[in-house]
Amino acid sequence: MARTLIVAGNGMVGHRLVQALRDRDRRGDWRVEVFAEETRPAYDRVALSSYVDTWDAATLTLAGARFEGDEAVSLHLGDPVVAVDRAARTVTAASGQVCGYDALVLATGSYPFVPPVPGHDLPGCHVYRTIDDLDGIRSHAAHVPRGRRAALVVGGGLLGLEAAKALRDMGLSPHVVELAPWLMPVQVDEGGGALLRRLVEYLDVTVHPGTGTSSIEADGDRLLARLGNGSELDVDLVVFSAGVRPRDDLARAAGLPVGERGGVMVDDACRTADPRVYAVGECACLDGRVYGLVAPGYSMAEVVADRLLGGQATFPGADTSTKLKLLGVDVGSFGDAHARTEGALEVVLNDAVAGSYKKLVLSDDASTLLGGVLVGDASAYATLRPLVGRPVPGDPAALISPAGAPVGVGALPADAQVCSCHAVTRGAIDGAIADGCVDVPALKTCTRAGTGCGSCVPMLSQLLGAAGVAQSRGLCEHFTHSRAELFEIVRSTGITTFSELVTRYGTGRGCDICKPSVASILASLGGGHVLDGEQAALQDTNDHFLANIQRNGTYSVVPRIPGGEITPERLMVIAQVAQDFGLYTKITGGQRIDLFGARVEALPRIWRRLVDAGFESGHAYGKALRTVKSCVGSTWCRYGVQDSVTMAIELELRYRGLRSPHKIKAGVSGCARECAEARSKDFGVIATEHGWNLHVGGNGGFSPRHAELLVSDVDSETLVRLVDRFLMFYVRTADRLQRTAAWLEAMDGGIDHLRDVIVEDSLGICADLEAAMARHVESYADEWGGVLDDPVKLARFTSFVNAPGTPDPTVTFRSERGQPVPLGIPSTTSEVSR
């Protein structure tokens, strides 16, 4: 007869325990009863702040959380264990139900610590821990009167910054108070904390380090928070996120020993003083320490599952490494990040210009990697973290320098842990590949690597490549299809929404890679305005507001000036708009005028002035055609042989608004002197005595490349037809974020193959490409105008959703050379220390 296991708690660790046991219990030795305090099945608390993106709790639900179809597992949601009788081996639930057990696992987690400051229990004070907590914060924020916008977060650690992000996404301006001298003091050092503060303060988050909250008082319908440094903050709500404390009340009441600072005391088998009672996760105290991260909790769950089935597993030690994105800033911390090991050496690269801070901690003889901190750029985390405790593979400075040689997967030995959440080694990954796993999803299924925090997913792809496995061209982990294949799927099926596409042809909820890519595909195929319905939520930050966000949270506005030609009257309109809205003006390299410093709530009013004067969006924010630059051509220049301005205007007006895998720039030169720099463009046109030469696949920027000659001496009609084909072939077949230069370089056969396809029509698709471009030209509509004509879209353009039209008072400027520039621009010095 099956024995009974009772699990008190149904968080991520409790759920993992039940999953691990059910996966291994082939003989059916155990029947599991799970008693949960929350009324919903287990969900991803690590991703709690993403709940604000959709307000759909189902998107956070863990896979298999309901154990549907598994008769050996019973879930009692909303019915927590309230008492344990160790002598009778029973538990009593809140409902009054009494259930006997053969083994009991306490997985009760932790509760938010609220500092005992006067006023901490006033209305408007919240904690940040559960979905219900976020719902309560949202409800409170929705009732804040117009003109109100401020919130206080008490605590600047991991959860505090997550709470600040959630509040900002609700339209509030958060203040973060942290008692330590810098943010995230547990994970990062002073240098990393300084950069982290600078980066998050660009994003409308005010940081108050080195002080606490002394009191909170009711101030009418607001709250007055007094800080330890003597300053006062008028806020509309307060969120406490000052750490957690283990929920060990059940153990205390049952007479089980607890740690000095709380937590149920357990041995390395996660057993309490009662051999029939175990504790895992944040409620357990092992060797005097309580772990507040999910990875050690998962390790404990695996140990208990093994022990329940007769194994001898012990807790392997905790990897407290962390990699996450906080308010858009990448942060990584691993090993001895604070260099507390005696004799430890530090290698630091602090690049304020690039916005990155990287530190490696080495042993006293500089031979062993002990830990590190990465802020701003954490791309090296996946390869550096597994090397902790191992020989440094090369010059330490080169490992973190942009000009150095990054660590390759070849440096990882078989016993190096690739996935800390599930303790998966490189050897296990290599074994799974040898057994037939040929892509990342298969490795996730076989090994569970990459199914926790996800930071090791890039490493899985690298290990597949190192093993000689041909890599999937899937767009991301949610689609096995490439961008080009998804384009054809959407085109042939008529699918018009991301949700339908991911349901029919993908998995999961999507990510920051596939959502904007699919949004671009839908827009390329005439899927309506980019801010219509579901599409609005798919867009990148810039597309979200049809303008480029700048370092101080304001936006730049770039009206289209086809071919760079503009009348004095229209120049005066731009000048007057800039003057009236206090904007910084600059001529761009693409012969346009950029207006900087526009607040989000002012964008529609600026657009209205410009649109009424005949301007339209220049798509400087989008992956689309930007400009067609021109010289003055034969109209004015004594060397010009063709009218380059007229041709540039015709091309720009024809291809404006064309959404593509990456931005598109073009140029038209009126003679071989090449004043428009056409051969540095995605497509460049150069006039000849007999017509036009068409060059394709060039770009400037980080990796300049000259465009290659496609055809020579063609007439204007033929030129336009070939550009139609070239652009539409690129839109259909390029990878995500692939410029035409990289696309052409990666193309089998290169320029010769491209010439065969779009000039000689070797694939028989040119008529279709031309028809597709004709549909684009016919359906074009100005995106700014589409917002101005739609009250629903207009409502998006506000700094604070609860106070439409209220400007953000934290955005300030100073004058430089007679123009406004952001106040508090960070230092442009770079420091490399060793």
Side-chain angles (χ1 to χ4, degrees):
M1 183 177 178
R3 292 173 289 173
T4 299
L5 169 68
I6 290 181
V7 180
N10 189 39
M12 296 179 71
V13 174
H15 174 70
R16 176 58 184 274
L17 166 68
V18 179
Q19 273 194 325
L21 180 64
R22 294 300 301 133
D23 288 345
R24 303 175 188 184
D25 188 10
R26 304 300 181 189
R27 298 182 304 179
D29 289 344
W30 291 94
R31 180 175 60 85
V32 185
E33 302 281 342
V34 181
F35 290 86
E37 182 175 40
E38 293 191 66
T39 57
R40 50 177 53 91
Y43 59 88
D44 186 356
R45 201 184 302 275
V46 174
L48 183 62
S49 63
S50 67
Y51 177 51
V52 178
D53 297 336
T54 62
W55 295 111
D56 180 3
T59 62
L60 295 181
T61 303
L62 296 177
R66 296 185 181 277
F67 293 97
E68 292 173 327
D70 190 342
E71 296 181 357
V73 179
S74 298
L75 286 179
H76 305 271
L77 300 179
D79 193 15
V81 172
V82 295
V84 176
D85 185 336
R86 290 167 50 207
R89 296 213 305 270
T90 63
V91 300
T92 302
S95 62
Q97 178 182 358
V98 177
C99 186
Y101 64 82
D102 295 288
L104 167 66
V105 177
L106 300 176
T108 48
S110 58
Y111 64 89
F113 170 66
V114 178
V117 300
H120 69 271
D121 54 353
L122 287 171
C125 292
H126 302 263
V127 294
Y128 182 88
R129 185 66 176 162
T130 67
I131 288 176
D132 289 340
D133 293 336
L134 265 177
D135 284 338
I137 295 170
R138 178 192 187 192
S139 177
H140 187 104
H143 290 88
V144 173
R146 287 177 60 88
R148 305 291 180 79
R149 57 168 190 84
L152 171 64
V153 178
V154 179
L158 279 174
L159 286 177
L161 293 183
E162 289 281 357
K165 177 189 183 300
L167 291 167
R168 194 196 62 168
D169 290 347
M170 293 183 206
L172 299 167
S173 290
H175 292 259
V176 177
V177 174
E178 170 54 47
L179 194 60
W182 61 85
L183 296 172
M184 289 183 66
V186 174
Q187 288 79 20
V188 305
D189 62 358
E190 184 173 5
L195 177 64
L196 179 59
R197 174 185 178 180
R198 191 183 316 146
L199 294 176
V200 302
E201 284 193 329
Y202 295 157
L203 302 171
D204 192 30
V205 176
T206 305
V207 180
H208 305 267
T211 189
T213 304
S214 299
S215 66
I216 301 169
E217 302 173 8
D219 184 14
D221 58 352
R222 304 194 79 188
L223 296 170
L224 177 65
R226 302 183 190 276
L227 305 186
N229 59 11
S231 59
E232 298 179 346
L233 298 174
D234 282 311
V235 297
D236 297 292
L237 58 87
V238 175
V239 175
F240 289 100
S241 191
V244 296
R245 299 292 184 268
R247 296 187 63 175
D248 54 16
D249 48 317
L250 281 177
R252 290 176 185 270
L256 292 171
V258 297
E260 183 178 347
R261 295 188 176 184
V264 189
M265 294 183 66
V266 297
D267 60 15
D268 60 2
C270 298
R271 283 179 308 220
T272 69
D274 184 334
R276 292 183 179 272
V277 181
Y278 298 81
V280 296
E282 293 175 315
C283 72
C285 177
L286 197 156
D287 292 332
R289 183 173 181 182
V290 175
Y291 296 98
L293 297 173
V294 70
Y298 280 173
S299 295
M300 294 179 188
E302 295 286 343
V303 168
V304 173
D306 180 79
R307 288 280 176 162
L308 290 172
L309 295 172
Q312 298 298 313
T314 58
F315 185 65
D319 183 350
T320 57
S321 302
T322 303
K323 179 181 180 292
L324 65 165
K325 189 182 287 287
L326 295 164
L327 291 160
V329 180
D330 283 323
V331 178
S333 171
F334 53 95
D336 183 11
H338 292 280
R340 294 191 174 103
T341 302
E342 184 177 357
L345 305 175
E346 297 182 340
V347 179
V348 178
L349 172 63
N350 188 5
D351 190 341
V353 175
S356 71
Y357 176 90
K358 302 177 183 179
K359 181 181 82 171
L360 295 183
V361 180
L362 311 175
S363 59
D364 56 3
D365 60 357
S367 65
T368 304
L369 180 64
L370 301 180
V373 174
L374 305 169
V375 178
D377 175 12
S379 56
Y381 175 88
T383 48
L384 289 173
R385 183 199 57 74
L387 293 175
V388 171
R390 301 177 185 277
V392 180
D395 178 15
L399 299 180
I400 55 176
S401 170
V407 180
V409 294
L412 299 181
D415 62 340
Q417 196 175 84
V418 171
C419 175
S420 60
C421 291
H422 301 295
V424 183
T425 64
R426 176 186 179 159
I429 299 294
D430 288 343
I433 294 172
D435 289 339
C437 291
V438 296
D439 55 24
V440 171
L443 285 177
K444 287 183 173 184
T445 300
C446 293
T447 68
R448 285 186 173 167
T451 61
C453 70
S455 65
C456 64
V457 170
M459 177 65 72
L460 301 183
S461 296
Q462 293 178 43
L463 289 171
L464 283 164
V469 177
Q471 291 295 285
S472 166
R473 295 192 61 198
L475 181 62
C476 66
E477 62 182 285
H478 302 103
F479 289 99
T480 59
H481 303 284
S482 67
R483 180 199 173 276
E485 290 167 339
L486 288 174
F487 189 101
E488 293 305 317
I489 288 171
V490 174
R491 187 169 74 95
S492 61
T493 62
I495 288 174
T496 59
T497 64
F498 175 85
S499 57
E500 183 181 0
L501 183 67
V502 76
T503 298
R504 292 175 58 181
Y505 295 95
T507 61
R509 306 187 298 266
C511 62
D512 291 340
I513 294 175
C514 59
K515 286 181 177 179
S517 299
V518 172
S520 174
I521 291 172
L522 294 172
S524 298
L525 291 169
H529 197 283
V530 294
L531 299 184
D532 276 339
E534 183 188 280
Q535 277 224 66
L538 306 178
Q539 306 300 330
D540 281 323
T541 300
N542 291 335
D543 290 285
H544 199 67
F545 290 109
L546 307 185
N548 283 337
I549 191 168
Q550 303 300 323
R551 67 192 312 163
N552 67 339
T554 62
Y555 292 82
S556 62
V557 176
V558 185
R560 186 170 299 286
I561 302 177
E565 182 183 77
I566 189 168
T567 64
E569 291 77 14
R570 297 179 84 191
L571 273 174
M572 291 169 64
V573 170
I574 292 178
Q576 193 63 56
V577 168
Q579 189 174 62
D580 292 349
F581 288 90
L583 306 178
Y584 173 97
T585 57
K586 193 177 188 306
I587 306 298
T588 75
Q591 299 178 335
R592 303 196 289 190
I593 299 174
D594 208 336
L595 309 175
F596 290 85
R599 299 171 187 266
V600 66
E601 66 274 359
L603 288 173
R605 289 182 284 133
I606 294 171
W607 297 341
R608 172 55 69 192
R609 293 272 295 276
L610 294 172
V611 169
D612 287 348
F615 290 101
E616 59 184 21
S617 167
H619 287 93
Y621 50 83
K623 301 297 184 285
L625 178 79
R626 297 289 179 84
T627 65
V628 181
K629 186 177 181 179
S630 74
C631 63
V632 295
S634 59
T635 304
W636 291 94
C637 181
R638 58 195 174 118
Y639 299 107
V641 295
Q642 301 288 350
D643 185 355
S644 57
V645 177
T646 298
M647 176 56 72
I649 292 172
E650 179 182 347
L651 293 174
E652 186 160 345
L653 293 179
R654 183 171 183 81
Y655 304 126
R656 58 186 171 176
L658 178 66
R659 292 282 173 159
S660 53
H662 211 302
K663 62 187 175 184
I664 299 172
K665 296 183 178 181
V668 181
S669 289
C671 72
R673 290 172 177 263
E674 250 282 70
C675 293
E677 303 166 329
R679 283 186 295 170
S680 66
K681 309 301 182 187
D682 293 279
F683 70 92
V685 179
I686 301 176
T688 71
E689 295 284 353
H690 306 290
W692 307 95
N693 289 352
L694 175 60
H695 300 256
V696 297
N699 66 249
F702 187 77
S703 300
R705 183 183 190 273
H706 264 124
E708 298 184 51
L709 180 64
L710 185 69
V711 291
S712 303
D713 296 328
V714 296
D715 59 37
S716 297
E717 182 179 348
T718 302
L719 173 72
V720 172
R721 186 167 61 250
L722 291 176
V723 176
D724 282 358
R725 296 174 182 179
F726 167 73
L727 290 178
M728 196 52 68
F729 189 51
Y730 164 66
V731 168
R732 289 187 177 184
T733 62
D735 288 335
R736 164 186 171 269
L737 300 181
Q738 187 176 40
R739 290 290 298 270
T740 58
W743 171 68
L744 186 55
E745 286 179 342
M747 185 181 296
D748 289 340
I751 189 68
D752 293 330
H753 175 70
L754 181 65
R755 188 179 292 113
D756 286 342
V757 172
I758 67 173
V759 179
E760 305 300 333
D761 197 15
S762 61
L763 300 180
I765 62 173
C766 287
D768 188 40
L769 297 175
E770 292 173 24
M773 186 61 75
R775 287 191 295 272
H776 162 73
V777 173
E778 183 180 355
S779 64
Y780 168 77
D782 175 36
E783 290 179 352
W784 289 351
V787 170
L788 297 174
D789 295 336
D790 188 337
V792 175
K793 294 187 181 72
L794 278 172
R796 306 173 62 87
F797 291 82
T798 178
S799 291
F800 313 108
V801 295
N802 55 326
T806 301
D808 184 348
T810 66
V811 175
T812 54
F813 299 89
R814 61 182 174 86
S815 180
E816 185 173 285
R817 295 182 298 277
Q819 292 214 82
V821 296
L823 185 66
I825 294 176
S827 169
T828 57
T829 60
S830 294
E831 171 194 351
V832 179
S833 62
R834 194 175 174 179

